[in-house]
Amino acid sequence: MEKQPDNISLKAHKIHKYFGGVKALEGSSVVVTKNKLISLIGPNGSGKTTLFNVISCWLSKSHPDDFIEEPEDEPKLQTRILKTLKKKFGGNEETDERTEVGYVDFEDLRLDGLDAHEAALTGMMRTFQTTRNWPKLTVLENLLVAPQNQTGESFTNIFFKRKQINEEERKNTLKALEILEFLEITHIRDQIGEELSGGQLKLLALGRLLMTAPRLILLDEPMAGVNPTLGNKIMDKILELKVDSTIFLIEHNMDVVFNYSDEIFVMASGKIIAQGTPNEIETNKDVIKAYLGVDY
Amino acid sequence: MARIIRKTRINDKFRSFIVGVALAVPILYLYAYAFLAQTNKSIFLIGTILAILVFFVGALSLDLEVGSVGLPNFGKVGFFALGAYISTLLYSVYRWPFYYIPGIGPIAQFIFSCLVAIIFSALVGYLVSVPTVKLRADYFAIMTIAGGEIIRLLLQYERRWFWAPAPVGPPTQVISNRVKVEFTGLYPFNQTLADFFGFTFFEDHNLGSIFIWQVVLIVIFVLISILVYWFVEQIRKSPYGRTLRAIREDDITVTSVGKDVSRFRWQVTTLAACIAGLAGIMYAMTFSAFEAGDFRPFLTFDLYIFIIIGGLGNSRGAFAGTALVQMFLRAAQVQEVKENIFLYLGKESPLIGPLFDFLQLDVYINPDNMRLVILGIILILFLLFMPSGLIPEPKTDNEKYLQYLTPEERLSSDKAVATRQSLTERERIDEEDVTELNSNI
């Protein structure tokens, strides 16, 4: 693996993902520059979330050649068997022809084959499209669960390292209060998760992720289902985060995307069809075609 | 708003209290009736206390899994069986390796067999957890119920190892635990309280006599229960327990912040298996003779009834549930209760007599033959109307974390909370954008 340029945070190269006979991703590549806000847009079902899932190791990527094509003039089963046999016993030339597999690099680390929790430990955090929280825990606790590698999370340390645990809890509590203040949701400190509104949950998800001090943040529709004013507030907070971390954003709100992004990737049916600054994207014919149809 | 919340909270407490009294009064009445009918009252009482303690430890083990992590383990009884069988077979049948050492032999053998039983239970718990912890809750339940049955069937049919060799004839399936018999014969355990201390309270009140070994056994069991209780509570209070609760609520989010969910799950499953093995050892000592047929899945369901009635995710609730249900079950089995407290439905009863005559039915309903029906009804009522049980899991409370702050930090944080709470929702969303929003409307 060649050394990455220092200003590159994430590089996903030629990612393929097939769900049975559906091609969700077909060789999508993205490069995310450090301390920038990069957006990923595209029509519904174009594979944006799948790309996020592959990057954050929730899904494993497929080999480009593994797609099972089903020609109409041949029986299905026979094709499959032949294809498998060919792959197994086809000899060297066959394997040499296999297409190059894609990869995901985060800074100097190759993420291929990691578990989802291991990928999160590298400093790359993500949120989900549907907000998730722990409904029976208070907001403060929701934040306190998040810090990684806590001393108190090892079974033996509970009994033998109490002092260290207490110190760490104090530190984390202070940090959590700071984050609540930053997100301007201090007033819900003592409420439990299930009492919160949708917008508060979005902010809480953001706060949970900040507890781990991530260097790359993958946000999956942070403003979906939130009223525009609160949405603007969430966006303000996200922009403030740009100082310390890189932000990779999926969003359907075009105003936000075109006003704030440093760079935009456009996806359609599993492929990146365009990339560039907001101005370049706005006038790109492919993008307009993908969004509005051919004859527009 | 706060006042309304506080009001409902008090109502909840009041409701638990009423339900608790409504449940406890008939059971206590039944128990008192059974107790007074006994000829040797002290034995009856001690039997109940020991049974409560044994099943309390078992219920704690189950509650750690079901209540704290949300893993519905239906194979708990298998670990009971392992603890009971291994400790008993090693001590009473094989007597290897320490038993025949003069002096400390039996005690060393006893401790050794208990340790082996606990470690073996933990090992099996780990082995069961490896393929199962990644499954969804319902499949986990199916897998564990199968695991528990496999353990029981092995113990039942593997005659060479798990059956007790008899002096004459083929080996027997019934295993008898010799610990109690051998230790109670020793001085001063075989003395009554009256003989040894001159404490004649029980004899004076015609309650039978209590031996010193009975007192010692109860003390040991109480100590074990307190130790396990303390242990489980420490886990629940720690950051470890907080993450366990988070896993119970939503494991995907826990994974997404970089925690290995399956590590937490197998650790808890193994630990719970350890505790269940300990409960199995206590079971063997209390009931002395047992066979594989005693460890059917019903025992697991009994434990579920204890913790659901008492309250999931709460050790005190587990004790309340265990005590109430065990007292009911013990009292219902007493002959005098069966004979005297019954409801007769047949041709001589008023109103429905002709109907029962026509159906040729003569039914005596008593607490013993109705016990499963009664427990089932109680269980269903609890699940429908009080799913959190008699003593609900304590509401999580930020006090625990805020106490780490210095008074000034605490005060400033509380003040910030109060200030923002006093704002209206519109002001909170955005102080500056209010005008712009108005113009948009």
Side-chain angles (χ1 to χ4, degrees):
Chain A
M1 176 182 147
E2 74 271 31
K3 185 97 171 67
Q4 296 249 15
D6 274 347
N7 63 336
I8 300 291
S9 174
L10 178 83
K11 187 175 180 193
H13 184 68
K14 288 201 175 156
I15 306 294
H16 291 255
K17 180 70 195 173
Y18 308 135
F19 296 110
V22 178
K23 291 185 175 179
L25 292 175
E26 287 185 77
S28 316
S29 309
V30 286
V31 177
V32 175
T33 323
K34 271 185 186 165
N35 292 30
K36 290 271 160 65
L37 195 158
I38 315 288
S39 296
L40 181 62
I41 59 173
N44 287 77
S46 57
K48 304 184 295 293
T49 302
T50 309
L51 182 60
F52 262 33
N53 284 341
V54 172
I55 289 174
S56 55
C57 296
W58 282 88
L59 293 173
S60 59
K61 56 184 182 304
S62 315
H63 194 281
D65 291 347
D66 283 353
F67 188 69
I68 302 156
E69 291 190 52
E70 289 158 12
E72 281 167 22
D73 52 342
E74 273 180 277
K76 216 161 129 186
L77 186 67
Q78 201 183 337
T79 337
R80 287 188 187 197
I81 294 172
L82 275 177
K83 188 143 189 179
T84 337
L85 286 178
K86 247 188 206 168
K87 251 183 216 168
K88 274 203 170 163
F89 307 108
N92 282 332
E93 41 186 321
E94 190 86 12
T95 45
D96 285 344
E97 277 173 24
R98 272 168 82 93
T99 333
E100 177 200 358
V101 194
Y103 57 84
V104 180
D105 282 346
F106 172 57
E107 289 168 1
D108 289 334
L109 206 72
R110 185 144 294 188
L111 297 182
D112 296 347
L114 290 186
D115 282 341
H117 72 269
E118 290 168 339
L121 287 172
T122 59
M124 175 182 71
M125 297 290 290
R126 67 165 299 181
T127 63
F128 295 92
Q129 199 167 358
T130 47
T131 42
R132 294 177 162 276
N133 72 329
W134 298 300
K136 290 277 190 289
L137 269 58
T138 64
V139 169
L140 186 63
E141 277 182 304
N142 259 281
L143 295 180
L144 285 177
V145 173
Q148 295 164 339
N149 298 325
Q150 297 181 41
T151 319
E153 278 183 348
S154 151
F155 179 69
T156 45
N157 289 352
I158 302 172
F159 299 98
F160 300 115
K161 290 191 180 169
R162 279 167 191 261
K163 208 177 159 201
Q164 201 178 332
I165 290 174
N166 287 352
E167 273 167 27
E168 215 175 78
E169 288 283 279
R170 181 186 138 76
K171 214 176 66 196
N172 287 337
T173 309
L174 282 175
K175 193 173 172 194
L177 290 175
E178 214 170 275
I179 285 170
L180 285 178
E181 207 131 309
F182 167 71
L183 296 172
E184 297 177 32
I185 47 172
T186 325
H187 55 288
I188 55 169
R189 183 189 76 184
D190 299 333
Q191 271 173 287
I192 60 172
E194 61 187 357
E195 298 170 351
L196 303 185
S197 71
Q200 288 169 336
L201 286 179
K202 294 265 179 196
L203 284 168
L204 181 60
L206 201 58
R208 190 168 56 223
L209 177 151
L210 292 181
M211 284 298 286
T212 62
R215 297 193 300 285
L216 173 64
I217 303 176
L218 306 179
L219 294 169
D220 199 343
E221 301 200 24
M223 290 165 64
V226 174
N227 85 38
T229 334
L230 187 57
N232 284 338
K233 191 176 128 187
I234 294 178
M235 205 60 218
D236 286 346
K237 299 299 169 197
I238 291 172
L239 286 174
E240 281 183 51
L241 296 179
K242 229 170 76 172
V243 184
D244 299 322
S245 23
T246 314
I247 291 152
F248 193 20
L249 177 81
I250 294 178
E251 187 50 63
H252 280 300
N253 186 335
M254 290 304 147
D255 286 344
V256 170
V257 168
F258 282 96
N259 282 336
Y260 298 117
S261 302
D262 296 310
E263 197 176 352
I264 298 176
F265 288 91
V266 187
M267 266 188 111
S269 37
K271 289 177 187 138
I272 301 280
I273 54 167
Q275 75 179 84
T277 59
N279 288 335
E280 288 165 12
I281 296 295
E282 227 162 349
T283 50
N284 190 315
K285 286 223 172 61
D286 288 339
V287 178
I288 296 168
K289 202 170 104 187
Y291 264 93
L292 301 166
V294 189
D295 297 326
Y296 185 77
Chain B
M1 184 68 193
R3 195 175 296 162
I4 294 169
I5 289 170
R6 208 167 294 146
K7 203 174 165 191
T8 49
R9 217 171 260 173
I10 288 169
N11 280 350
D12 274 354
K13 265 189 184 167
F14 188 62
R15 198 170 72 144
S16 317
F17 179 71
I18 294 287
V19 174
V21 168
L23 207 61
V25 165
I27 288 175
L28 284 178
Y29 171 75
L30 209 63
Y31 192 79
Y33 193 94
F35 178 74
L36 292 175
Q38 295 291 317
T39 43
N40 194 343
K41 298 184 175 65
S42 61
I43 291 233
F44 183 64
L45 191 66
I46 285 169
T48 315
I49 295 175
L50 290 179
I52 290 175
L53 291 173
V54 169
F55 288 110
F56 174 52
V57 175
L60 277 180
S61 148
L62 186 65
D63 198 25
L64 186 63
E65 269 179 290
V66 182
S68 295
V69 208
L71 288 172
N73 191 334
F74 277 94
K76 197 96 282 178
V77 67
F79 301 102
F80 253 73
L82 278 181
Y85 260 84
I86 292 171
S87 68
T88 306
L89 286 175
L90 269 181
Y91 183 82
S92 313
V93 178
Y94 294 123
R95 315 213 128 168
W96 177 86
F98 298 120
Y99 188 80
Y100 294 111
I101 297 172
I104 53 148
I107 292 180
Q109 178 68 28
F110 175 63
I111 294 172
F112 173 76
S113 54
C114 289
L115 282 180
V116 170
I118 291 175
I119 291 170
F120 198 79
S121 302
L123 201 68
V124 175
Y126 176 69
L127 286 179
V128 170
S129 77
V130 167
T132 51
V133 287
K134 286 191 176 168
L135 299 177
R136 241 172 49 200
D138 32 7
Y139 295 109
F140 181 82
I142 295 169
M143 284 289 286
T144 46
I145 208 171
E149 280 292 270
I150 288 169
I151 291 173
R152 178 178 71 82
L153 292 171
L154 263 180
L155 295 175
Q156 188 163 349
Y157 293 112
E158 185 48 70
R159 296 178 181 219
R160 285 167 299 178
W161 302 332
F162 302 125
W163 286 36
V168 272
T172 58
Q173 200 181 353
V174 179
I175 313 281
S176 48
N177 188 305
R178 309 264 315 151
V179 175
K180 216 155 78 175
V181 183
E182 287 179 10
F183 281 94
T184 53
L186 300 173
Y187 184 85
F189 296 130
N190 56 0
Q191 302 289 305
T192 59
L193 287 180
D195 292 343
F196 197 72
F197 295 111
F199 182 73
T200 54
F201 175 83
F202 292 98
E203 282 81 359
D204 292 346
H205 293 80
N206 197 21
L207 298 172
S209 36
I210 290 188
F211 289 90
I212 289 183
W213 69 263
Q214 290 170 320
V215 177
V216 171
L217 196 61
I218 287 182
V219 168
I220 291 175
F221 274 26
V222 167
L223 285 181
I224 291 176
S225 309
I226 291 177
L227 187 73
V228 174
Y229 174 86
W230 175 83
F231 196 71
V232 171
E233 282 300 297
Q234 288 304 312
I235 292 173
R236 287 224 171 101
K237 278 185 202 154
S238 66
Y240 189 87
R242 187 175 60 209
T243 308
L244 292 186
R245 269 187 298 145
I247 290 173
R248 181 186 67 189
E249 322 244 301
D250 184 14
D251 53 345
I252 289 180
T253 321
V254 178
T255 310
S256 84
V257 292
K259 294 178 201 298
D260 189 355
V261 171
S262 42
R263 171 178 78 95
F264 285 95
R265 284 195 173 145
W266 74 248
Q267 282 179 349
V268 170
T269 315
T270 310
L271 183 69
C274 248
I275 300 175
L278 183 64
I281 297 171
M282 290 161 75
Y283 182 96
M285 283 173 70
T286 310
F287 297 98
S288 292
F290 54 89
E291 56 175 326
D294 294 343
F295 299 106
R296 289 179 191 280
F298 293 115
L299 199 61
T300 317
F301 300 144
D302 277 350
L303 294 178
Y304 268 91
I305 293 174
F306 301 158
I307 62 173
I308 288 172
I309 289 179
L312 283 172
N314 182 354
S315 307
R316 273 173 296 165
F319 184 76
T322 314
L324 281 176
V325 179
Q326 274 298 319
M327 280 166 83
F328 168 68
L329 289 175
R330 289 254 143 186
Q333 286 166 0
V334 171
Q335 195 60 32
E336 284 81 359
V337 171
K338 281 192 230 173
E339 281 168 5
N340 297 330
I341 302 179
F342 66 89
L343 182 66
Y344 167 73
L345 298 173
K347 63 183 173 197
E348 278 155 40
S349 47
L351 283 175
I352 50 168
L355 176 67
F356 275 72
D357 190 23
F358 173 71
L359 294 171
Q360 297 191 330
L361 280 175
D362 250 351
V363 190
Y364 287 91
I365 292 176
N366 64 31
D368 187 43
N369 60 22
M370 292 296 283
R371 64 181 196 279
L372 292 179
V373 177
I374 294 171
L375 282 183
I377 291 172
I378 293 177
L379 185 68
I380 289 171
L381 288 178
F382 262 93
L383 285 173
L384 281 177
F385 299 110
M386 279 180 76
S388 51
L390 276 180
I391 308 177
E393 184 182 11
K395 285 229 162 58
T396 56
D397 181 355
N398 285 339
E399 204 49 46
K400 198 161 78 186
Y401 312 108
L402 296 175
Q403 67 172 16
Y404 293 123
L405 306 180
T406 60
E408 297 88 60
E409 287 164 344
R410 175 73 201 267
L411 198 69
S412 74
S413 171
D414 282 344
K415 208 184 273 176
V417 172
T419 321
R420 279 201 69 80
Q421 268 172 352
S422 66
L423 298 176
T424 61
E425 194 55 42
R426 169 65 62 83
E427 284 166 340
R428 251 181 237 146
I429 288 175
D430 216 333
E431 286 89 349
E432 306 104 64
D433 274 8
V434 174
T435 46
E436 193 190 319
L437 193 75
N438 284 342
S439 65
N440 284 348
I441 295 167

